[in-house]
Amino acid sequence: MSRRILLLGGTSEALRLARRLSPEAVYSLAGLGRVPDDLACQVRVGGFGGAAGLAAYIREQSIELLLDLTHPYAAQISANAARAAELSAIACWALRRPGWRAGEGDDWREVDNWAGLVAALQNFQRPLFTLGREPLEHLHEIPLHQHWTLRCLTAQEAVPRAEIIGARGPFALDGERALFARLGTDVLISKNSGSQSTEPKLQVARELGLPVVLLRRPLLPSVEREFLSLEALAEALQL
Ligand code: NAP
């Protein structure tokens, strides 16, 4: 397909697709993670300044198709993408990765927000947070009976009653088993990202009979075409 594409990234699927794009396409990243330097397509980093800023970029760069492959919890950029496509009268296609589903032996508890999370953790001592950066803002609120472990992209110095591990997926099952054992984890906290690369932690929780507290997915806008898999999207793009 020769349409000029703007691909909004931030997921492993986005990077995989970006590797297949030609030089006239643009791959856009917020700038929180690694920026690849070995792609044939153009790479840009940083926000656009809301939906209006994104629409202006689309016009300036003569973008003809917007692809939203951002993370399912990155609700703001997905809302901006849908709105900007509307404002610019171009199509927006999105990869809407399905969430994980609880199976036999799972004890999953869904919460809506941080307050719900704190309440759900009340009876636990050694929570393992795999939610990204949000818990970093709450390190001064750790209840006296708890020791937290946070796993996010960048390590930080430990604070009283909390360890902050920096790690990027994919995570292998054996490594996850060893981590839970070392920490004495009694509850896992996660987003329901649906990503295969972070799924092994759920298997470990299942094996150990541990509850998993999941932050509910945000609502995302409907766009012109939505795909459940990268393969289906790539096929529609003839890539
Ligand atoms: P967000 O709240 O939806 O977006 C915040 C702002 O970041 C957006 O309004 C936009 O700024 C900018 N932005 C986000 N993605 C961008 C992109 N691909 N290119 C250019 N600007 C972008 O997103 P977030 O939850 O902070 O996540 C930031 C990025 O990390 C996203 O790209 C997402 O895919 C990725 N990520 C998020 C999570 C998660 O759990 N939220 C997990 C893994 C990866 P302007 O309004 O100025 O344009």
Side-chain angles (χ1 to χ4, degrees):
M1 161 167 305
S2 61
R3 279 198 268 179
R4 186 154 155 81
I5 287 173
L6 173 60
L7 165 60
L8 301 173
T11 56
S12 56
E13 290 97 332
L15 178 57
R16 275 160 56 204
L17 190 66
R19 293 199 182 285
R20 293 151 83 167
L21 294 178
S22 49
E24 71 273 8
V26 182
Y27 175 45
S28 173
L29 291 166
L32 302 177
R34 251 194 303 254
V35 178
D37 57 6
D38 59 347
L39 302 181
C41 70
Q42 299 158 48
V43 180
R44 68 163 299 288
V45 180
F48 297 94
L54 179 52
Y57 180 88
I58 288 170
R59 274 193 305 276
E60 281 155 21
Q61 298 291 322
S62 308
I63 300 296
E64 295 165 292
L65 176 64
L66 184 58
L67 299 180
D68 177 8
L69 274 75
T70 61
H71 191 270
Y73 284 72
Q76 186 60 57
I77 187 69
S78 288
N80 292 353
R83 180 76 189 122
E86 227 172 69
L87 290 171
S88 333
I90 64 165
C92 179
W93 294 2
L95 179 62
R96 299 283 191 238
R97 188 203 278 162
W100 295 309
R101 306 272 287 272
E104 182 88 24
D106 283 326
D107 173 5
W108 291 10
R109 307 166 187 190
E110 237 181 3
V111 296
D112 285 319
N113 49 32
W114 184 260
L117 189 59
V118 170
L121 296 181
Q122 234 169 11
N123 295 327
F124 298 94
Q125 280 83 48
R126 309 274 312 178
L128 169 58
F129 291 85
T130 58
L131 280 178
R133 293 160 293 151
E134 190 175 3
L136 291 170
E137 293 158 27
H138 299 275
L139 292 174
H140 57 289
E141 299 165 15
I142 304 176
L144 287 173
H145 69 284
Q146 290 183 349
H147 180 282
W148 291 5
T149 303
L150 276 52
R151 181 167 68 188
C152 48
L153 286 182
T154 329
Q156 287 192 20
E157 269 189 38
V159 299
R161 284 177 291 115
E163 179 184 355
I164 300 135
I165 300 172
R168 289 163 198 270
F171 297 103
L173 188 55
D174 281 349
E176 296 295 67
R177 285 189 181 121
L179 180 69
F180 278 60
R182 175 175 80 76
L183 297 171
T185 299
D186 59 0
V187 61
L188 172 68
I189 301 103
S190 178
K191 291 176 176 170
N192 189 348
S193 79
S195 165
Q196 279 179 2
S197 66
T198 53
E199 203 172 349
K201 63 188 174 186
L202 299 171
Q203 154 106 24
V204 179
R206 189 174 305 129
E207 288 171 3
L208 298 174
L210 299 180
V212 180
V213 179
L214 288 164
L215 197 59
R216 203 182 302 280
R217 281 187 165 210
L219 283 176
L220 298 178
S222 320
V223 292
E224 188 167 317
R225 291 190 69 180
E226 298 184 0
F227 299 85
L228 297 179
S229 72
L230 181 61
E231 293 66 35
L233 171 59
E235 197 182 318
L237 290 167
Q238 297 171 359
L239 287 173

